[in-house]
Amino acid sequence: MIQLEGITKSFGSLQVLKGIDLTIDKGEVVSIVGPSGAGKTTLLQIMGTLDKPDAGRIILNNVEVNRLKDKEQAAFRNKEIGFVFQFHQLLPEFTALENVMIPSLINGISGKNARKEAEAMLDFLGLSERASHKPAELSGGEKQRVAVARALINHPSVVLADEPSGSLDTQNKEELHRLFFELRDKLGQTFVIVTHDESLAAQTDRTIHLIDGRIS
Ligand code: ADP
């Protein structure tokens, strides 16, 4: 599903990733842990084509994504990769339903079908009653679940999550973590999760330790 080969990345004179080789299978839930500044977010951003490596290959679902032109890469990203961030990054002026519809609309799906699919996804995640609420009217846990719905709406090959439960209290944290595993079990969804949360990392299929730009 995901293959990284020889990924390096520097910012100025600071080499942040020093040669990353990594293979992740479909349906795996993988955590990436390591000290602050180790390069975890940079690695996730490169995996998600939000940033470019200096060298190395990224193969997602049999496509060598770093060889795509920028426009093709953006379309590929929208279709094949779902993102969940620490802070939900929902658009405040839109309802939960509209936020979840956005990736489908970008993907060229009609408004009517995008609405139907977003309603079904919110229902699947137990959020039907929140569909018409704007982000400011949702709890922290609900906002993150809406963000997960948005990440899943195009049935991506992989969901990349950067400290997804970092802003939640213990109960909401545990609920969100349960949701990831439920989605893996029900949909075969692949997840790569950057986290400081040891209990989440311990539950994942595999934990990658990134230390000083290398997998240890
Ligand atoms: P982590 O997620 O493990 O905390 P990051 O990948 O965020 O680490 O950052 C790794 C290092 O790269 C840090 O020293 C950070 O300051 C630096 N860095 C990250 N992004 C940039 C950038 N866009 N420009 C310059 N330095 C950056």
Side-chain angles (χ1 to χ4, degrees):
M1 178 62 64
I2 305 176
Q3 207 178 330
L4 301 184
E5 293 175 8
I7 299 291
T8 60
K9 177 75 178 176
S10 297
F11 295 109
S13 60
L14 178 70
Q15 191 174 25
V16 174
L17 299 177
K18 300 178 177 169
I20 303 289
D21 297 306
L22 179 61
T23 304
I24 295 170
D25 293 330
K26 179 169 168 46
E28 258 198 301
V29 180
V30 172
S31 51
I32 301 180
V33 303
S36 197
K40 302 181 297 296
T41 293
T42 304
L43 179 60
L44 204 72
Q45 299 250 333
I46 287 176
M47 225 184 263
T49 75
L50 292 173
D51 201 352
K52 288 184 198 302
D54 298 332
R57 301 204 308 158
I58 309 156
I59 300 156
L60 276 176
N61 211 4
N62 298 320
V63 176
E64 191 169 344
V65 289
N66 47 335
R67 295 183 75 165
L68 297 175
K69 296 200 183 85
D70 284 354
K71 218 172 151 186
E72 293 166 344
Q73 207 176 68
F76 181 90
R77 183 189 312 129
N78 182 58
K79 174 73 192 76
E80 297 290 341
I81 307 169
F83 292 95
V84 179
F85 301 98
Q86 178 170 1
F87 300 101
H88 54 84
Q89 300 202 350
L90 299 174
L91 298 175
E93 64 275 36
F94 292 116
T95 65
L97 183 72
E98 288 162 347
N99 268 284
V100 177
M101 287 169 67
I102 291 168
S104 308
L105 296 173
I106 294 174
N107 204 24
I109 291 175
S110 73
K112 194 173 153 205
N113 285 340
R115 173 173 291 269
K116 238 165 73 183
E117 287 176 14
E119 281 170 352
M121 185 57 78
L122 286 175
D123 190 29
F124 181 65
L125 296 188
L127 288 161
S128 294
E129 287 171 13
R130 296 285 179 268
S132 61
H133 291 235
K134 292 193 174 164
E137 300 158 349
L138 300 171
S139 72
E142 287 168 344
K143 280 190 275 229
Q144 275 311 57
R145 274 166 40 227
V146 173
V148 171
R150 180 183 56 183
L152 291 171
I153 196 68
N154 282 341
H155 309 289
S157 298
V158 62
V159 172
L160 304 179
D162 198 351
E163 295 285 356
S165 53
S167 65
L168 300 178
D169 62 27
T170 308
Q171 191 191 335
N172 281 305
K173 214 178 257 221
E174 285 171 4
E175 255 176 48
L176 186 71
H177 297 168
R178 266 200 301 277
L179 178 61
F180 291 141
F181 294 102
E182 195 185 321
L183 292 167
R184 188 272 304 275
D185 293 342
K186 285 190 179 163
L187 308 175
Q189 184 65 57
T190 311
F191 286 94
V192 181
I193 309 171
V194 166
T195 186
H196 279 110
D197 191 298
E198 287 176 14
S199 78
L200 171 59
Q203 291 174 67
T204 58
D205 300 322
R206 188 150 53 110
T207 301
I208 309 256
H209 296 267
L210 193 66
I211 296 172
D212 193 22
R214 287 197 176 86
I215 293 174
S216 72

